[in-house]
Amino acid sequence: MDASPCVKLKRQPQGVPVADDFEIGEAEVASTGVECRSLYISLDPYLRGRLSGRHLTGLISPGDPMTSETVLEVVESGHGFVAGDIVRGHAPWQHRMRLPPESVHPVDRQIRPASLALGVVGMPGLTAFAGVHRLLQPSSGETLLVSAAAGPVGATVAQLGRIAGAHVIGMAGSDEKCRWLREVAKLDAVIHYKREDLRESLDCHCPEGIDMYFDNVGGDVLQAAMERLALGARVALCGLMSQYNTDEPPAGPNPGLIIRARAIVRGLVVYDHEALRPEMEVSIQREIENGHLAYKEDISEGLETAPEAFCRLMRGDNFGKALVKVV
Amino acid sequence: MDASPCVKLKRQPQGVPVADDFEIGEAEVASTGVECRSLYISLDPYLRGRLSGRHLTGLISPGDPMTSETVLEVVESGHGFVAGDIVRGHAPWQHRMRLPPESVHPVDRQIRPASLALGVVGMPGLTAFAGVHRLLQPSSGETLLVSAAAGPVGATVAQLGRIAGAHVIGMAGSDEKCRWLREVAKLDAVIHYKREDLRESLDCHCPEGIDMYFDNVGGDVLQAAMERLALGARVALCGLMSQYNTDEPPAGPNPGLIIRARAIVRGLVVYDHEALRPEMEVSIQREIENGHLAYKEDISEGLETAPEAFCRLMRGDNFGKALVKVV
């Protein structure tokens, strides 16, 4: 059998995952499909839900290979691909594999480094682009609040909002992240939610209330934002970082807060917005080239570092889009 | 001084209001304005919030007259009105008064009995009309769930939904209300939420999930509905009956339920939709005349019965639009 090293789930994590919840093993390389080698593996908080069977993309059980969005290089021409092509697809955390042709998508040659196809011009970029342009639809001068603003989705939302003329306030949990948001991403205001009194800071930076809130975290940060919605506010609910590591989903804000603001609260799932991808790729790459949009990557080297890199992400200790560079 | 009997708040209610929280007194009749006598006073759950200073229309303090939407007869011509005109306005619970002309609105002569201007073709009707046609926008065959479905808002929402071709499930809390919803309002299904296991009944009547939910109550009924939202669901949050009598607003459903369904959840406040009133009046009267839309009134006779009638409403013991017929 043709086999290749891969990362498997060893046991279901309890609370915050630890590296020992995973193991390095070998997996068979299928005999048909597009032969590829992994270049970059995307680590994403939503994966935590899959380890408990709580995510809409299904369960990963002990013994199963870990899978996620991956950028790969085609090593053997065929199925319409040429050796050397850079592609992306949902794939196991594995060195070499053959993937069903329908699950392999070319990565535009303009996207370099190719890792960006997993970040600012990949799924996180698409999430942000759909959130800003389809759900929030900022008008110039409106206040946009973003949680987990130094993450790949949050940072892109915040900067797309700034580009659209919104007054953008980002929340993050370390001095380094806050400095980057202020100095590099050029947000209008930044709240260090661990050091500052969150509600006081929100009152200070959003004296007229919050017109738009993009939420990546849920929990008390969502509660504090909902308490301060301006009339006609729009809220995009996208992530639940505060509860991915918990077993029971906690309660949310009282519905009276939505009624009072006549707010529109919407759930955002990126899979619904795939049709926006070409427009997003062009638009975000242009903003990067023009120096209007910054991004940050947090790259861990070697397939064997993937478990600990994922655990670091789930502890909130990463800074930038969490990736594993496989080779 | 020219004075007239009126109902005042005696003390701030604790929990469910009791008749002793109110008192009958006298109030001065202003020397200028449109001279009117009260015909019907509207009793509404939102008033409970005003007694605790929690409603967006402001606080009623001990010693203040109770006020609400009222239908009145003009007793002296002037200010563009003629004696005998039927009008509506926000007014004290009082026999006779003079009202500022700008707060007095004629009631269309087609609306008879005039009490309907406080119910199915009044504020509750406008709430329902805006909720269905602006927020929920039913498509034929979609599932619409309505809480407090025998109340004046809920019953109108449910029937407008049925007229639009939705499959309508109403929830109510007494045999009599459930029978009326089934036999007179002709809903597709009715759940007696006090007698039945709510979640089992919802699973039975909404096997494919809930496409639209119109919420008048909040609390656990909202939670159970949100757990069952279909993809692309719309939720109109309109009332909070479960918490009007409480001091601290309880938590709401977890935001993950909104994300999972990619739902659109909106707060509905009727004051935003005043421009729809003429269209609503024509449309709802036509449906009543055609026998497609039923309504129910719960009328208490005499100004002095208003406190107990309001308390009955806040205990959920009314059946139909709660009104006081003043004379």
Side-chain angles (χ1 to χ4, degrees):
Chain A
M1 137 183 150
D2 183 13
S4 177
C6 81
V7 177
K8 297 181 177 185
L9 184 66
K10 188 161 76 187
R11 62 181 182 212
Q12 216 179 65
Q14 302 298 313
V16 181
V18 295
D20 269 357
D21 295 332
F22 306 88
E23 63 189 349
I24 310 291
E26 292 229 311
E28 192 174 346
V29 176
S31 56
T32 61
V34 185
E35 191 175 349
C36 302
R37 66 182 187 100
S38 298
L39 300 179
Y40 294 98
I41 293 168
S42 176
L43 306 177
D44 302 279
Y46 79 84
L47 293 171
R48 179 65 185 85
R50 297 182 65 194
L51 306 185
S52 308
R54 271 205 317 259
H55 195 263
L56 41 89
T57 56
L59 171 68
I60 296 177
S61 300
D64 288 349
M66 291 293 297
T67 66
S68 61
E69 279 282 301
T70 303
V71 161
L72 315 97
E73 184 184 349
V74 175
V75 294
E76 198 181 84
S77 300
H79 303 284
F81 295 94
V82 174
D85 277 357
I86 305 297
V87 297
R88 64 179 171 80
H90 198 90
W93 296 6
Q94 185 169 326
H95 273 283
R96 268 186 324 112
M97 67 201 81
R98 284 196 185 83
L99 292 171
E102 67 276 12
S103 72
V104 176
H105 309 280
V107 171
D108 190 305
R109 297 209 159 263
Q110 302 296 317
I111 300 178
R112 291 295 176 272
S115 58
L116 297 192
L118 298 174
V120 68
V121 281
M123 205 78 96
L126 184 57
T127 308
F129 196 80
V132 170
H133 293 302
R134 285 205 172 151
L135 272 64
L136 299 178
Q137 302 183 4
S139 295
S140 185
E142 285 192 309
T143 295
L144 166 61
L145 178 72
V146 184
S147 58
V153 174
T156 313
V157 166
Q159 294 177 91
L160 290 176
R162 167 173 54 61
I163 291 166
H167 179 83
V168 183
I169 297 117
M171 297 181 280
S174 81
D175 288 338
E176 195 190 6
K177 292 175 184 177
C178 288
R179 196 179 321 114
W180 185 84
L181 287 171
R182 210 176 282 116
E183 295 174 6
V184 182
K186 302 207 180 304
L187 306 199
D188 296 288
V190 180
I191 297 172
H192 188 320
Y193 73 91
K194 289 182 183 168
R195 283 217 183 162
E196 302 175 37
D197 180 302
L198 176 61
R199 287 169 168 79
E200 266 178 28
S201 295
L202 288 173
D203 287 339
C204 164
H205 293 300
C206 316
E208 321 257 299
I210 297 160
D211 297 308
M212 295 169 287
Y213 176 48
F214 191 99
D215 186 44
N216 288 303
V217 299
D220 188 55
V221 175
L222 175 60
Q223 171 72 31
M226 298 288 281
E227 290 165 0
R228 286 160 180 79
L229 296 182
L231 269 188
R234 288 89 71 202
V235 177
L237 300 178
C238 182
L240 295 165
M241 195 65 195
S242 68
Q243 69 184 57
Y244 288 131
N245 292 320
T246 59
D247 285 334
E248 280 297 312
N254 185 273
L257 300 171
I258 298 175
I259 299 179
R260 188 177 67 182
R262 288 82 143 153
I264 301 182
V265 180
R266 291 181 62 175
L268 170 57
V269 174
V270 66
Y271 311 125
D272 301 339
H273 302 281
E274 193 58 40
L276 264 187
R277 191 184 282 263
E279 184 186 339
M280 175 279 292
E281 288 180 350
V282 170
S283 174
I284 290 192
Q285 284 181 95
R286 190 181 53 226
E287 299 297 354
I288 293 173
E289 281 160 24
N290 293 344
H292 296 153
L293 200 150
Y295 62 87
K296 186 113 179 62
E297 297 183 317
D298 185 325
I299 299 180
S300 172
E301 304 233 344
L303 182 68
E304 70 285 0
T305 66
E308 176 50 26
F310 177 65
C311 296
R312 222 157 61 81
L313 169 69
M314 293 313 298
R315 294 193 303 265
D317 290 342
N318 65 307
F319 175 22
K321 169 61 197 160
L323 296 166
V324 175
K325 188 173 181 183
V326 177
V327 283
Chain B
M1 142 182 146
D2 184 11
S4 177
C6 81
V7 177
K8 296 180 177 185
L9 183 66
K10 188 161 79 185
R11 62 181 183 213
Q12 214 178 66
Q14 301 299 312
V16 181
V18 294
D20 268 357
D21 294 333
F22 306 87
E23 62 188 350
I24 311 292
E26 292 229 310
E28 194 176 345
V29 175
S31 56
T32 61
V34 185
E35 192 174 349
C36 302
R37 68 182 185 99
S38 297
L39 299 180
Y40 294 98
I41 293 167
S42 177
L43 305 177
D44 302 279
Y46 80 85
L47 293 171
R48 178 64 184 85
R50 298 183 64 192
L51 306 185
S52 308
R54 271 204 318 258
H55 194 262
L56 42 87
T57 56
L59 172 68
I60 297 177
S61 299
D64 287 348
M66 291 295 294
T67 66
S68 62
E69 279 281 301
T70 303
V71 161
L72 315 97
E73 183 184 350
V74 175
V75 295
E76 200 182 80
S77 301
H79 302 283
F81 295 93
V82 175
D85 277 355
I86 305 297
V87 296
R88 66 179 170 80
H90 197 91
W93 296 6
Q94 187 170 326
H95 273 284
R96 270 188 320 111
M97 67 200 80
R98 283 197 186 83
L99 291 171
E102 67 276 12
S103 71
V104 177
H105 309 280
V107 171
D108 189 306
R109 297 208 159 264
Q110 302 296 317
I111 301 178
R112 291 295 177 271
S115 58
L116 297 192
L118 298 174
V120 68
V121 281
M123 205 78 94
L126 184 57
T127 307
F129 196 80
V132 171
H133 294 302
R134 285 205 172 152
L135 272 62
L136 299 178
Q137 303 183 4
S139 295
S140 185
E142 285 192 310
T143 295
L144 166 62
L145 178 71
V146 184
S147 58
V153 173
T156 313
V157 166
Q159 294 177 91
L160 291 176
R162 169 175 50 63
I163 291 166
H167 179 82
V168 183
I169 297 117
M171 296 180 279
S174 81
D175 289 336
E176 193 190 7
K177 291 175 185 177
C178 289
R179 195 178 321 115
W180 185 84
L181 287 170
R182 210 175 284 117
E183 295 175 6
V184 182
K186 303 204 182 303
L187 306 200
D188 295 288
V190 180
I191 297 172
H192 188 320
Y193 73 90
K194 289 182 183 168
R195 283 220 183 157
E196 301 175 38
D197 180 303
L198 176 60
R199 287 169 168 79
E200 267 180 29
S201 294
L202 287 174
D203 287 339
C204 164
H205 293 301
C206 315
E208 319 257 300
I210 297 161
D211 297 307
M212 297 169 285
Y213 176 48
F214 191 100
D215 186 45
N216 288 303
V217 299
D220 187 55
V221 175
L222 175 61
Q223 171 72 33
M226 299 288 282
E227 289 164 3
R228 287 159 179 79
L229 295 183
L231 269 188
R234 289 88 71 201
V235 177
L237 300 177
C238 181
L240 295 165
M241 196 64 195
S242 69
Q243 69 185 57
Y244 288 131
N245 292 321
T246 59
D247 285 335
E248 280 297 312
N254 185 275
L257 300 172
I258 299 174
I259 298 178
R260 189 177 66 182
R262 290 80 144 154
I264 302 182
V265 180
R266 292 181 60 175
L268 170 57
V269 175
V270 64
Y271 310 127
D272 301 338
H273 302 280
E274 193 57 40
L276 265 189
R277 191 184 283 265
E279 185 186 339
M280 175 280 292
E281 288 181 349
V282 169
S283 174
I284 291 192
Q285 284 181 95
R286 189 182 54 226
E287 299 297 353
I288 294 174
E289 281 160 23
N290 293 344
H292 297 153
L293 200 149
Y295 62 87
K296 185 114 179 64
E297 297 183 317
D298 184 325
I299 300 179
S300 168
E301 305 234 342
L303 181 68
E304 70 285 359
T305 67
E308 176 50 25
F310 177 65
C311 297
R312 220 158 62 83
L313 169 70
M314 293 312 300
R315 293 194 303 266
D317 292 342
N318 65 306
F319 176 22
K321 170 62 198 159
L323 296 165
V324 175
K325 187 172 182 184
V326 179
V327 283

